[in-house]
Amino acid sequence: MQKLIKANLYRSELIPISGKLVERYNKCLEKLGFTKTKLTSFSIDGIGWSPEIAEEKNEVFYLNNGEANPHAIIITPLQKGLPIYNPFHSFDVELMKLVFRTHSKKIQNITRDSALCIDFDQSIDVFYEPLDVLKYIDVEIKFHLIDNLHKAKKEQLKLIEAFHKDNNFIDENLHQKLLKSAKKYGDLRERDISLESIIYTSDSFYTKAFGGIYLLRNFITPILVFEDKEAYKEAINDTTYDVLMFHISQPELITQLRDHVIIECDLTKEVTSKRYERIKKFIFGEALKETQHPVNDILKDKMLFKSYLNKVDIKTRKKVMSVERYLEKKQINPDIKIKDIVDEEFYFSLHKPHSSLRPNHQDLIWKLLINIAPKDVLFWYWYDKEDFYQNFKTWQESKKDWVVETIMSEF
């Protein structure tokens, strides 16, 4: 991963946490029902997730109490606007934007000497079966302070009220209680530490529950797309809901998404795009095993590209050039079918969200398309970083160089 780190492409916006902030973070973990971390320093993202703690606990989603109960931790206002590197839901970024947009000033005040635990409550205590995700509608964002700060403020105000009553100002015992409270919590009289719950209404989204499910419900008919085969098998036997269901590997899914005006693909336009070139080179790079030249050079140099294209087997050659071959043949025979010439995975990878979709839906569909056919390294990096990182580790060094340079060229 050193190549990504050097290029600032690997979790480059995490915030380092140490000292007192570690203590506050541990208090949040305990309040949420988790065990403390033994680490004395680590880093966190916008939702308070730490890759170091995830590794320590051997649990990626250590901030979840089961798949139905995700949480967040805020210990510094610097988390505002930070990326979320391993979201459990596709709308987690929107949830955190809403939190800071609504309570930014209060968060800044509270995190001077305290921290916030956040509960994303969708009124589902436990998931029992895959179709339970259809119950997701409103998410209530609830806030909890460590050290029982709300209770401490009430008690401090009571002490102050007692101090001003009759001759209590000379009561040394009362003095000591006030001093003890002030030393521990500071002066809470004017501090606004009450954060009202916020309601977020979900529409279409992706969740990592049950091995990964896309719920598309803003279109003609609700569609569920499963990444896990066992979850898909269980769901198709449930006749409770009127929804369309697909496993992500089913070719019919692409057809259905086009019919629902969710995705589109015009090969004549796509073949002239930079995205097409990235995908074509990546597919060719997958076929290059033992080469005289570095893969990076082969993919960047047109002459070397042609040279190695003529060296690979005819099946690979036809796959890499399938789109261009199809467009050439179509000029001669308009009735020729895409499926007869163009490699299926190549064709799927060239689809994009329909231009009529709202921006948030386009992002969701980009993620779905990348998961169906992960061939565009730039969009793979943008829309599914963790999956991209895992695959990056398996690529040969020269191919990694090409991938890093390709992504960096777009920044």
Side-chain angles (χ1 to χ4, degrees), residues 25 44-50 62-63 70-74 79 82-89 91-93 95-96 100 116 118 120:
Y25 193 92
I44 61 169
D45 67 2
I47 208 165
W49 176 82
S50 167
Y62 69 91
L63 287 177
H71 303 284
I73 292 175
I74 298 179
Q79 288 173 241
L82 281 190
I84 297 173
Y85 285 100
N86 210 355
F88 195 76
H89 302 101
F91 52 70
D92 284 353
V93 172
L95 291 178
M96 294 309 294
F100 278 100
L116 287 163
I118 302 178
F120 300 120

Side-chain angles (χ1 to χ4, degrees), residues 254-255 258 263-267 270 275 279 344 346-353 366 369:
I254 289 288
T255 304
R258 281 202 304 268
I263 61 174
E264 58 187 343
C265 182
D266 183 341
L267 288 180
E270 290 301 323
R275 189 164 73 97
I279 293 170
E344 184 178 76
F346 199 162
Y347 179 51
F348 288 174
S349 70
L350 289 169
H351 283 71
K352 61 184 180 181
W366 272 125
L369 289 171

Side-chain angles (χ1 to χ4, degrees), residues 279-342:
I279 293 170
K280 176 183 171 182
K281 288 179 179 179
F282 182 80
I283 288 173
F284 188 37
E286 287 182 311
L288 297 173
K289 304 302 178 186
E290 295 180 7
T291 58
Q292 182 182 345
H293 299 80
V295 173
N296 187 25
D297 292 347
I298 296 169
L299 298 181
K300 287 164 60 179
D301 188 292
K302 288 185 178 180
M303 189 166 62
L304 283 177
F305 188 97
K306 287 181 181 179
S307 174
Y308 278 89
L309 184 63
N310 282 278
K311 289 183 176 71
V312 296
D313 61 88
I314 189 65
K315 185 178 179 182
T316 300
R317 203 179 308 166
K318 285 183 176 181
K319 177 178 180 178
V320 173
M321 302 305 296
S322 60
V323 174
E324 287 157 67
R325 288 180 64 243
Y326 164 74
L327 293 174
E328 286 175 5
K329 290 178 179 293
K330 190 171 177 63
Q331 289 181 334
I332 301 168
N333 178 13
D335 296 327
I336 196 167
K337 296 179 180 179
I338 291 175
K339 67 178 182 178
D340 293 336
I341 304 294
V342 181

Side-chain angles (χ1 to χ4, degrees), residues 30 52-53 100 110 126 164 202 204 218 242 301 303 305 320 355 387 409:
E30 287 188 303
E52 295 88 356
I53 296 177
F100 278 100
I110 290 167
V126 180
H164 289 296
S202 65
S204 296
N218 297 84
D242 182 21
D301 188 292
M303 189 166 62
F305 188 97
V320 173
S355 57
D387 187 58
S409 68

Side-chain angles (χ1 to χ4, degrees), residues 29 34 45 47 49-50 53-55 57-67 69-71 84-89 92 206-209 211-212 386:
L29 288 176
F34 307 122
D45 67 2
I47 208 165
W49 176 82
S50 167
I53 296 177
E55 186 176 347
K57 293 178 177 290
N58 196 28
E59 174 55 62
V60 175
F61 298 107
Y62 69 91
L63 287 177
N64 283 32
N65 271 311
E67 294 186 328
N69 298 284
H71 303 284
I84 297 173
Y85 285 100
N86 210 355
F88 195 76
H89 302 101
D92 284 353
Y206 169 77
T207 175
K208 289 190 175 175
E386 290 303 314

Side-chain angles (χ1 to χ4, degrees), residues 122-140:
Q122 74 287 353
S123 300
I124 305 171
D125 293 332
V126 180
F127 281 143
Y128 294 101
E129 51 196 19
L131 294 189
D132 282 346
V133 299
L134 291 168
K135 299 175 183 177
Y136 255 101
I137 301 176
D138 290 336
V139 179
E140 184 177 4

Side-chain angles (χ1 to χ4, degrees), residues 362-373:
Q362 287 199 18
D363 286 341
L364 178 64
I365 300 306
W366 272 125
K367 177 176 171 57
L368 173 57
L369 289 171
I370 283 297
N371 288 160
I372 291 172

